[in-house]
Amino acid sequence: MTVRVGVIGAGMIGQDHIRRLTDVVTGATVTAVTDIDPARAAEVAARVGAVAPATGAELIASPEVDAVLVTSWGPTHAEHVLNAIAAGKPVFCEKPLATTAEDCLRIVDAERAHGRRLVQVGFMRRFDAGYRQMKEVIAAGSLGTPLIVHCAHRNPTVPESYTSAMAAQDTAVHEIDVLRWLLDDEIVSAQVITPRATGMRFEHLADPQLMYFETANGVRIDLEVFVNCQYGYDIQCETVGEKGLVRLPDPAAVGVRTAGAHGTAVPQDWKGRFADAFDTEFREWIAGIAAGVEPTGPSAWDGYAATVITDAAVRSLESGGQVVTVDMKPRPACYGGTS
């Protein structure tokens, strides 16, 4: 079976995923592309032999579309995901699932009413080989009970449009999702502290930020978010247990000895660091659709949880560093909960 995918949003990430579905993943073809810019949609669609419907709703309703990929502007995500659920079509939504917790819950409720999972959210780190190995080690129990997690998320630079709240909403959200998954535990509180600011930032931005989270089982997480570190895109994660620790490996790179120094290259952006994870993410999504099974990646509930937790982090930042309780609804049984 070839899965016919319609793509809503033909910007940078949309075009990268179209390339992935066309050139990397087997069993998929892009049959429709739409965008807020009709000319761009038409150009991208023509490149892969697809049509360019005028709207997302028209694309979702097309009999030539089996599954929907949403890579449009964040505030439009909820509308497109809800339309895909109503049409009974699998939908992959790049993060965020929605920009408000209320819209995330609308999606959760719609999916529950439909009776089976259709939604997958684009948190690609769960598909990274290093994180998957960490998950296996923690689950095996050889480290004992997890106690502490140390993380860092560093970018070389960010544009002037990047705001202090985006450190949680756009950057730390990846750690928030992958740590909930790694620990099989829920985050119940958030605190954000701002140390001395780097002089390499735009004046309006609080950078770096130190984020502290606590889970329901008492695990303490510290996360450094530093988005103007200058030297590269650097992702670090270390889980400390009662009997040992497990650390995320750095990406494989050759060692170079020259001019009296020995070093390895540091990735410069997220696309290079997580290219394999993106490929795996889409291979598994397409294979699941072809097999007629529910998606196993991050769910609509995971999208809701990430939004609620980042909201708490932003409130802590805006309060000057107060500890903020995460106000999350009980998890429904269809997502592994008890309600």
Side-chain angles (χ1 to χ4, degrees), residues 114-134:
H114 177 75
R116 71 189 302 267
R117 277 192 57 187
L118 292 172
V119 179
Q120 180 164 319
V121 184
F123 291 120
M124 99 297 289
R125 292 207 191 169
R126 298 191 189 195
F127 301 88
D128 175 74
Y131 277 112
R132 285 188 161 184
Q133 291 168 16
M134 289 184 71

Side-chain angles (χ1 to χ4, degrees), residues 141-161:
S142 59
L143 304 180
T145 301
L147 306 174
I148 306 167
V149 184
H150 306 293
C151 298
H153 187 143
R154 305 183 184 113
N155 290 56
T157 59
V158 288
E160 191 169 5
S161 58

Side-chain angles (χ1 to χ4, degrees), residues 2-55:
T2 297
V3 178
R4 300 170 300 176
V5 181
V7 181
I8 302 175
M12 179 186 69
I13 189 67
Q15 292 188 45
D16 194 42
H17 288 339
I18 289 170
R19 175 199 59 78
R20 185 166 284 109
L21 289 167
T22 303
D23 299 339
V24 178
V25 177
T26 59
T29 183
V30 175
T31 54
V33 180
T34 190
D35 190 84
I36 193 171
D37 180 346
R40 179 167 61 188
E43 188 274 327
V44 173
R47 206 185 303 159
V48 294
V51 297
T55 66

Side-chain angles (χ1 to χ4, degrees), residues 2-280:
T2 297
V3 178
R4 300 170 300 176
V5 181
V7 181
I8 302 175
M12 179 186 69
I13 189 67
Q15 292 188 45
D16 194 42
H17 288 339
I18 289 170
R19 175 199 59 78
R20 185 166 284 109
L21 289 167
T22 303
D23 299 339
V24 178
V25 177
T26 59
T29 183
V30 175
T31 54
V33 180
T34 190
D35 190 84
I36 193 171
D37 180 346
R40 179 167 61 188
E43 188 274 327
V44 173
R47 206 185 303 159
V48 294
V51 297
T55 66
E58 183 180 338
L59 179 147
I60 291 166
S62 170
E64 301 303 312
V65 169
D66 303 314
V68 180
L69 170 59
V70 178
T71 56
S72 54
W73 186 45
T76 68
H77 286 189
E79 172 192 352
H80 299 314
V81 174
L82 286 167
N83 283 342
I85 294 171
K89 295 185 178 181
V91 52
F92 184 108
C93 182
E94 270 300 345
K95 62 92 177 167
L97 174 63
T99 52
T100 68
E102 291 76 17
D103 276 346
C104 288
L105 284 176
R106 288 174 59 209
I107 292 169
V108 166
D109 289 342
E111 191 174 51
R112 291 174 68 191
H114 177 75
R116 71 189 302 267
R117 277 192 57 187
L118 292 172
V119 179
Q120 180 164 319
V121 184
F123 291 120
M124 99 297 289
R125 292 207 191 169
R126 298 191 189 195
F127 301 88
D128 175 74
Y131 277 112
R132 285 188 161 184
Q133 291 168 16
M134 289 184 71
K135 174 78 168 175
E136 290 173 2
V137 170
I138 294 169
S142 59
L143 304 180
T145 301
L147 306 174
I148 306 167
V149 184
H150 306 293
C151 298
H153 187 143
R154 305 183 184 113
N155 290 56
T157 59
V158 288
E160 191 169 5
S161 58
Y162 189 99
T163 66
S164 296
M166 290 170 69
Q169 296 166 337
D170 281 29
T171 301
V173 67
H174 287 289
E175 275 78 16
I176 286 168
D177 177 74
V178 82
L179 292 176
R180 293 177 58 250
W181 172 74
L182 272 178
L183 299 171
D184 193 21
D185 200 356
E186 198 53 85
I187 292 172
V188 297
S189 72
Q191 182 183 22
V192 180
I193 303 295
T194 53
R196 180 179 181 178
T198 174
M200 309 301 289
R201 79 199 192 284
F202 289 105
E203 193 62 31
H204 68 273
L205 180 62
D207 185 45
Q209 296 179 28
L210 298 177
M211 302 185 183
Y212 301 96
F213 303 100
E214 183 177 8
T215 74
N217 289 327
V219 180
R220 291 287 186 167
I221 299 164
D222 58 80
L223 166 61
E224 170 203 324
V225 176
F226 187 10
V227 295
N228 288 282
C229 79
Q230 304 301 304
Y231 70 85
Y233 181 76
D234 190 9
I235 304 300
Q236 301 292 325
C237 182
E238 178 181 275
T239 299
V240 180
E242 296 170 310
K243 297 184 287 185
L245 63 84
V246 58
R247 182 181 295 125
L248 184 71
D250 286 327
V254 297
V256 178
R257 296 173 187 262
T258 183
H262 177 202
T264 57
V266 177
Q268 294 300 297
D269 59 36
W270 52 269
K271 289 191 290 184
R273 171 62 179 83
F274 288 111
D276 289 344
F278 279 114
D279 291 348
T280 301

